[in-house]
Amino acid sequence: MPKVYIETMGCQMNKSDTERMLGILENLGYEETKDAKKADLLMVNTCSIRQLSEDKAFSQLGLWGKWKKELRPNIKIGICGCVAQQKAKEVFKRASYVDFVLGTHKIYSLPEIVKQINLGQRVCECSETNQTEDEKAKEYKIDRVKTVNAWIPITEGCNNFCTYCIVPYTRGQERSRLPEIIIKEAKDALNDGFKEITLLGQNVDSYGKDFKDKNYRLADLLKEVNSIEGKFRIRFVTSYPTDITEELIETVVKLDKVCEYFHIPMQSGSSPVLKAMNRRYDRETYFKIAQNIRNKVPDVTITSDFIAGFPGETEEQFQETLTAMEELCLDYSNTAAYSPREKTVAAKWVDKFIDEDTKFERLARLNEQNRKCCLESNKKFVGRSMEVLIENFENHKGKNIITGRTRNNKIVHIPYDKDITGEFIMAKITGCKTWYLNGEI
């Protein structure tokens, strides 16, 4: 059997796309290999959220191009994902050894692409669509990574056009997948032994806004997934702050399988910076949303995203981000220095760019505040008994350790000599570090 190797970069959506592409390729007779040197088909599924991610993708292609030139002229090389969608045919100019470029909209074109490249053709499929590919998705099995969690995209694209973000240009406009397709994929994953379902979207709580023939939103979908028989958990990411409805919060509280976890990017703690970012809320509004969730959802974990050094950000405005992270008692935050992205509005504000030294000095302070918040968050659970879904078993420094996650997304390490991956256990939390909890059965 021909072998395929896919290097996946970036977000959970990319990981999900890779699982779908592997399912398509398996149907075409390919077998996945974890050793790139043994592959007949090499693919990199790319992220373009920051320049570093894009550079990393082309670096990987460069290595493979060298293999093709010097060792194995018959291997086929493809680039997929957001960089592919963004650059399209430009890829061939930069990397002439690439055989195909596949954007984010048409992954189910892969069978025809493989046929064409095996005939010696070069293919670029980066056309956009306003439709989901649900009908084609029915034809193929999803080759999921063998963990306890199954990713299921429920929306694709984004309509928000934040001034720093390239996602609307690489993923297109928001498109909601059909509920019946999502429910089928959830049931299939559970039948295959997965114990957690994560519903994915760039703005997951916008689900259903684009349906013309029905009034069906994320809360309705959660209720339907929750009604599937069996012991399992449900999560959803990522939420846009002002799209979180009272109905959604109440649904999270009522449904026994939906976890007490919200990932809500704030991006900046300064209202003027948020306005420049084209976010549809200010500092006060975000605080009200977060506090409302904390008041109504017991033990909820709220995580966020922040950008340091956005064009024009003053030191005083950056200080507002630090105080926001602290005052909101955020449990964890993803952080990054601003990276200008082609086509975005903010990338044109060259006169407002902040020098690299200042950006990364601010990022360092942001990360330090994040560490403090994480440790304070973890301390709250020491002495508690919590349900943990075991995800991993390994020997660490001579000790057998099982690692799992609580409902509110806290990582727990527990000494234990038996591999019970996939089981739910009750653990007493005995201590904590910055990034995780320690526990015992």
Side-chain angles (χ1 to χ4, degrees):
M1 294 174 69
K3 292 181 168 53
V4 58
Y5 173 86
I6 304 182
E7 181 77 25
T8 305
M9 302 174 177
C11 67
Q12 298 100 323
M13 193 68 80
N14 273 16
K15 293 173 185 175
S16 175
D17 285 349
T18 290
E19 292 176 338
R20 290 165 192 275
M21 289 190 288
L22 285 171
I24 295 167
L25 290 165
E26 184 180 303
N27 193 63
L28 298 175
Y30 281 82
E31 179 184 21
E32 184 187 10
T33 177
K34 299 298 183 182
D35 185 350
K37 291 184 177 178
K38 293 181 179 178
D40 303 284
L41 173 59
L42 292 163
M43 296 165 59
V44 58
N45 191 3
T46 58
C47 171
S48 62
I49 200 74
R50 288 186 281 277
Q51 185 62 45
L52 184 63
S53 305
E54 182 180 322
D55 293 342
K56 186 178 176 184
F58 278 104
S59 176
Q60 184 65 73
L61 286 176
L63 175 64
W64 293 346
K66 189 175 180 182
W67 293 358
K68 187 170 185 175
K69 181 180 179 182
E70 298 177 359
L71 302 171
R72 300 178 57 204
N74 292 326
I75 59 173
K76 303 296 183 184
I77 299 174
I79 178 172
C80 316
C82 291
V83 174
Q85 186 71 37
Q86 178 191 1
K87 298 297 184 182
K89 290 182 180 179
E90 290 179 39
V91 172
F92 293 137
K93 297 175 186 176
R94 184 167 174 178
S96 58
Y97 43 81
V98 168
D99 295 283
F100 73 91
V101 181
L102 174 59
T104 57
H105 292 247
K106 295 285 190 74
I107 65 172
Y108 289 97
S109 300
L110 201 47
E112 183 59 31
I113 290 172
V114 170
K115 185 190 299 182
Q116 289 176 276
I117 64 172
N118 285 335
L119 291 173
Q121 300 174 31
R122 299 171 83 197
V123 184
C124 179
E125 175 51 276
C126 295
S127 55
E128 296 187 17
T129 176
N130 294 329
Q131 306 295 321
T132 62
E133 292 193 281
D134 283 340
E135 289 305 313
K136 291 182 179 178
K138 292 179 186 176
E139 301 173 22
Y140 299 100
K141 174 178 171 267
I142 302 170
D143 190 358
R144 297 190 185 278
V145 175
K146 300 302 183 282
T147 63
V148 300
N149 178 71
W151 310 106
I152 301 182
I154 66 169
T155 69
E156 301 168 13
C158 178
N159 294 346
N160 288 327
F161 288 93
C162 301
T163 56
Y164 55 84
C165 186
I166 198 169
V167 168
Y169 304 97
T170 58
R171 289 278 178 179
Q173 69 183 50
E174 285 178 7
R175 311 175 300 283
S176 299
R177 301 183 69 212
L178 296 172
E180 55 267 32
I181 300 291
I182 296 166
I183 298 301
K184 180 185 182 304
E185 289 184 2
K187 288 180 177 178
D188 289 346
L190 294 169
N191 288 335
D192 286 340
F194 290 88
K195 297 300 175 70
E196 192 169 278
I197 300 295
T198 300
L199 306 177
L200 293 179
Q202 266 78 31
N203 300 305
V204 72
D205 36 18
S206 292
Y207 178 75
K209 277 186 176 181
D210 54 324
F211 287 146
K212 303 282 195 298
D213 58 342
K214 52 178 159 290
N215 181 19
Y216 188 98
R217 299 298 303 277
L218 177 58
D220 301 296
L221 181 63
L222 288 172
K223 291 170 188 172
E224 204 163 346
V225 177
N226 194 83
S227 69
I228 300 172
E229 290 187 9
K231 170 75 172 173
F232 65 96
R233 291 174 176 175
I234 305 167
R235 301 187 190 277
F236 55 91
V237 289
T238 293
S239 293
Y240 191 90
T242 51
D243 287 333
I244 299 172
T245 62
E246 288 296 324
E247 182 188 15
L248 178 60
I249 298 169
E250 290 167 8
T251 299
V252 171
V253 174
K254 289 178 183 175
L255 299 182
D256 61 319
K257 294 168 185 171
V258 178
C259 293
E260 297 78 17
Y261 173 66
F262 283 78
H263 182 65
I264 319 171
M266 188 181 192
Q267 304 300 2
S268 173
S270 164
S271 293
V273 174
L274 289 169
K275 186 174 182 180
M277 288 178 165
N278 195 35
R279 302 290 283 179
R280 301 194 311 269
Y281 53 88
D282 56 16
R283 179 188 175 101
E284 183 183 10
T285 303
Y286 186 99
F287 268 67
K288 286 179 180 176
I289 293 165
Q291 192 57 54
N292 186 34
I293 293 170
R294 288 213 188 275
N295 289 342
K296 292 181 177 176
V297 186
D299 288 335
V300 69
T301 287
I302 299 178
T303 59
S304 193
D305 296 344
F306 289 96
I307 296 170
F310 185 75
E313 178 189 68
T314 65
E315 173 61 26
E316 291 74 20
Q317 289 168 338
F318 173 70
Q319 288 287 341
E320 289 188 90
T321 295
L322 294 179
T323 58
M325 190 184 278
E326 181 180 19
E327 291 170 19
L328 287 162
C329 302
L330 293 172
D331 300 275
Y332 175 78
S333 297
N334 298 313
T335 62
Y338 171 73
S339 177
R341 306 309 295 131
E342 183 183 347
K343 296 182 180 178
T344 63
V345 173
K348 300 179 178 69
W349 298 342
V350 180
D351 58 323
K352 296 182 180 180
F353 280 7
I354 292 169
D355 66 90
E356 295 297 296
D357 288 346
T358 301
K359 276 199 301 188
F360 285 99
E361 187 273 334
R362 287 180 184 174
L363 178 61
R365 283 189 282 156
L366 193 58
N367 287 338
E368 180 56 31
Q369 183 60 60
N370 188 30
R371 281 189 283 271
K372 290 178 182 177
C373 288
C374 291
L375 184 58
E376 287 304 309
S377 171
N378 286 344
K379 285 178 181 177
K380 294 184 295 187
F381 298 98
V382 176
R384 294 272 302 275
S385 292
M386 305 182 78
E387 182 191 78
V388 178
L389 171 57
I390 304 304
E391 298 179 350
N392 190 36
F393 172 79
E394 65 178 347
N395 186 281
H396 181 69
K397 296 181 179 178
K399 291 183 179 180
N400 288 330
I401 303 288
I402 52 175
T403 299
R405 227 171 265 269
T406 64
R407 286 176 58 97
N408 62 354
N409 212 38
K410 296 288 185 181
I411 295 171
V412 187
H413 296 310
I414 303 167
Y416 199 67
D417 287 326
K418 184 181 176 185
D419 185 356
I420 54 171
T421 298
E423 293 187 22
F424 294 89
I425 59 112
M426 290 302 295
K428 182 177 180 181
I429 306 305
T430 57
C432 70
K433 298 291 185 182
T434 301
W435 309 119
Y436 60 88
L437 306 174
N438 290 314
E440 60 185 27
I441 290 184

